[in-house]
Amino acid sequence: MPSLFKLPTRILRAVPRLGLLTASLLTFALVVALLPALFRSEAALQIRTLRQGNSLPDGFYIYQSLSAQGIRIKSITPDHDSLVIRFDSQEQSYAAEKVLRELLPFGFNIARQEDHGAVKWVNRISLRT
């Protein structure tokens, strides 16, 4: 009969270890799942006017022009006094920059916008805008 009373104490001693092991595995799985999102960078171009009073090019015109060249666009959004164009890859961003430099007149600044995922996540966590 003494062995019956020792069995529950052995199980009770193992429960905290199993809980710690489970929590560790869940934490590891969460880190592995979120790690690629933290270090992913997004390819984007930002178009600004060089002179005050000039208007930005029409987003639909930009979309049509780049699509005609076979460049896939993820999104085109206005951002303050600029137009931000996002792409699926850096190669598409470079090709679009080349086309836009030939397409748009002299009064526009076309710059690459580096948007690293880690910076975006930190800004979201800290509630910065």
Side-chain angles (χ1 to χ4, degrees), residues 17-72:
R17 292 182 195 142
L18 289 174
L20 183 62
L21 179 66
T22 303
S24 298
L25 287 175
L26 286 175
T27 303
F28 179 73
L30 186 64
V31 166
V32 167
L34 293 178
L35 203 56
L38 289 175
F39 294 105
R40 176 180 50 216
S41 64
E42 194 172 65
L45 290 177
Q46 186 174 32
I47 301 173
R48 291 182 182 261
T49 59
L50 293 176
R51 294 187 192 107
Q52 198 73 343
N54 286 357
S55 61
L56 289 170
D58 181 42
F60 188 67
Y61 171 71
I62 298 290
Y63 174 79
Q64 283 183 327
S65 301
L66 294 177
S67 292
Q69 297 291 324
I71 300 169
R72 293 188 56 217

